[in-house]
Amino acid sequence: MRKIQMVDLQSQYTFIRSQVEAGMNEVLSTAQFINGPAVKSFQSNLESYLGVKHVIPCANGTDALQVAMMGLGLEPGDEVITADFTFAATVEVIALLGLTPVLVDVDPNSFNIDPNAIVRAITPKTKAIVPVHLFGQVADMDAIMAIAEKHNLYVIEDNAQGIGATHTGSNGNTTKTGGIGHVGSTSFFPSKNLGCYGDGGAIFTNDDDLAHTLRGIVNHGMYERYHHDVVGVNSRLDSLQAVVLNEKLKLLDYYNERRKWAAIRYSHLLSGHDNIITPKVIGNCDSHVFHQYTLRLIDSDRDGLVQHLQNQGIPCGVYYPIPLHAQKAYQSGKYDQENFAVTNQLVKEVISLPMHSELDEEQIETVCQAVLDFLG
Ligand SMILES: *Cc1c(COP(=O)(O)O)cnc(C)c1O
């Protein structure tokens, strides 16, 4: 059996090696490292894939979120509502821009931001909502878009974990995540569902004016050479990363299918145990692309299981062990523990098993056997 890994980028590489090497050699020989043809073609390939009008490539997923918020013209003092249970990047950029992060609780079944908690957190200062499609599952976008419309708020989708997932709205329309809100962002960090071989990210929008603004912001606020109309940043995707992304984008649906297959096998082998809650897929079967396969362990020794798996050479992860409202950097007197009942519980219960497109049946059975052996 191949060694079980949390993500297996080496095995994935062997299938695309010759194409990636040829593309990289082309970049090296033409020396168009920044904004070369590979970046342009990736931009348009991703626009077609997602069905969004504009993709703005940038340096990483954190920049993508920051630039999205800058482009919307959010200003210090504006409140931005996001989930307490997510990766810190989401709240980090809100704070960096001098905006006020307002963390709210999540839904215990989907792990995603709870629309009722959003409604309770809205004040006259609220300007935007940032739903995260956590672990690859689409947030409750029908409810979120309706709340945003009613209160005149922007919706910024953090799609770093959800690329390739689709959402079928109550109107029957099917849209890829990242193109549902006013603006969306993603990350091409190597372990993401669409990852490059370094850092990378992108912003998405269907709004022509906003797209124009965003393209200037990622390029030092420059719309005409050496005319700096707004304060911008330097955030670019480089050509070598675009070569990798162009190859992997062709396979993204296949990768996501393989992840779903692995998730179905895991859930088949683990469901029925009293102490395990397997992940729920809410919505259609394409609404979850399993960036992570995350179990909840009920009345069990989660940290003991982590240790047990590690002792057997099986990697696993705890995403996330500390709620954002309890992080030193984001603590503020305003948070009331009662408002985070779900997140406070989830951080004690969750464990993510190895999940990637190269998992095979034998590996999955080995992982499940180890989990069941420990829980008894
Ligand atoms: C990975 C991730 C980011 C940040 O992306 P980077 O490319 O690492 O900057 C932001 N939000 C979420 C939910 C993520 O998982």
Side-chain angles (χ1 to χ4, degrees), residues 275-293:
N275 302 98
I276 300 177
I277 300 181
T278 55
K280 294 198 173 53
V281 177
I282 292 151
N284 68 50
C285 65
D286 293 324
S287 62
H288 201 326
V289 291
F290 288 96
H291 175 60
Q292 298 295 347
Y293 181 86

Side-chain angles (χ1 to χ4, degrees), residues 60-62 65 86-87 89-90 132 158 160-161 187 189 192 199-200 320:
N60 57 68
T62 309
L65 277 168
T86 178
F87 182 57
T90 324
V132 181
D158 182 346
Q161 301 187 3
S187 163
F189 185 78
K192 301 285 156 95
D199 274 309
Y320 296 92

Side-chain angles (χ1 to χ4, degrees), residues 6-194:
M6 206 57 191
V7 289
D8 187 354
L9 296 174
Q10 286 104 328
S11 297
Q12 201 185 50
Y13 177 54
T14 58
F15 286 98
I16 54 173
R17 182 174 179 160
S18 57
Q19 297 93 308
V20 168
E21 285 182 356
M24 287 204 168
N25 283 332
E26 170 81 15
V27 173
L28 295 177
S29 61
T30 56
Q32 290 186 297
F33 300 113
I34 301 286
N35 284 334
V39 177
K40 303 248 157 52
S41 68
F42 174 63
Q43 177 185 318
S44 74
N45 291 340
L46 189 58
E47 284 165 355
S48 315
Y49 175 83
L50 292 173
V52 292
K53 258 175 112 176
H54 304 283
V55 165
I56 297 100
C58 66
N60 57 68
T62 309
D63 277 7
L65 277 168
Q66 177 178 333
V67 170
M69 289 177 202
M70 290 168 77
L72 291 172
L74 301 183
E75 287 175 358
D78 289 349
E79 292 181 357
V80 180
I81 298 175
T82 193
D84 190 33
F85 189 59
T86 178
F87 182 57
T90 324
V91 65
E92 179 178 64
V93 299
I94 299 172
L96 265 179
L97 291 173
L99 313 172
T100 306
V102 177
L103 298 169
V104 302
D105 213 353
V106 296
D107 175 272
N109 293 312
S110 67
F111 301 125
N112 276 322
I113 195 164
D114 175 357
N116 296 318
I118 296 176
V119 172
R120 285 194 295 271
I122 291 173
T123 76
K125 288 185 180 166
T126 307
K127 289 285 154 48
I129 307 168
V130 187
V132 181
H133 303 303
L134 200 74
F135 304 150
Q137 170 135 268
V138 185
D140 187 350
M141 292 308 290
D142 280 344
I144 293 166
M145 294 310 290
I147 295 166
E149 193 167 339
K150 183 166 171 208
H151 297 271
N152 200 22
L153 309 174
Y154 292 119
V155 174
I156 304 161
E157 290 176 78
D158 182 346
N159 197 26
Q161 301 187 3
I163 198 155
T166 63
H167 168 69
T168 303
S170 49
N171 58 7
N173 290 346
T174 293
T175 317
K176 286 247 163 58
T177 51
I180 308 164
H182 300 92
V183 58
S185 66
T186 202
S187 163
F188 304 124
F189 185 78
S191 64
K192 301 285 156 95
N193 290 33
L194 177 62

Side-chain angles (χ1 to χ4, degrees), residues 168-285:
T168 303
S170 49
N171 58 7
N173 290 346
T174 293
T175 317
K176 286 247 163 58
T177 51
I180 308 164
H182 300 92
V183 58
S185 66
T186 202
S187 163
F188 304 124
F189 185 78
S191 64
K192 301 285 156 95
N193 290 33
L194 177 62
C196 57
Y197 294 166
D199 274 309
I203 313 158
F204 322 122
T205 186
N206 289 309
D207 180 326
D208 297 339
D209 294 337
L210 180 59
H212 175 75
T213 305
L214 296 169
R215 285 189 209 292
I217 293 174
V218 296
N219 188 28
H220 302 291
M222 195 158 64
Y223 295 91
E224 197 186 323
R225 207 161 168 75
Y226 299 124
H227 292 256
H228 302 274
D229 296 355
V230 294
V231 177
V233 296
N234 169 19
S235 190
R236 295 184 280 238
L237 182 72
D238 70 69
S239 305
L240 291 172
Q241 301 309 334
V243 164
V244 177
L245 290 166
N246 264 328
E247 286 311 317
K248 289 179 65 167
L249 180 58
K250 292 178 203 161
L251 295 166
L252 179 58
D253 285 343
Y254 164 76
Y255 292 150
N256 284 342
E257 280 306 318
R258 290 287 308 170
R259 285 171 179 272
K260 263 183 268 178
W261 171 82
I264 289 167
R265 291 302 302 148
Y266 272 134
S267 289
H268 178 75
L269 295 169
L270 295 173
S271 65
H273 193 289
D274 285 348
N275 302 98
I276 300 177
I277 300 181
T278 55
K280 294 198 173 53
V281 177
I282 292 151
N284 68 50
C285 65

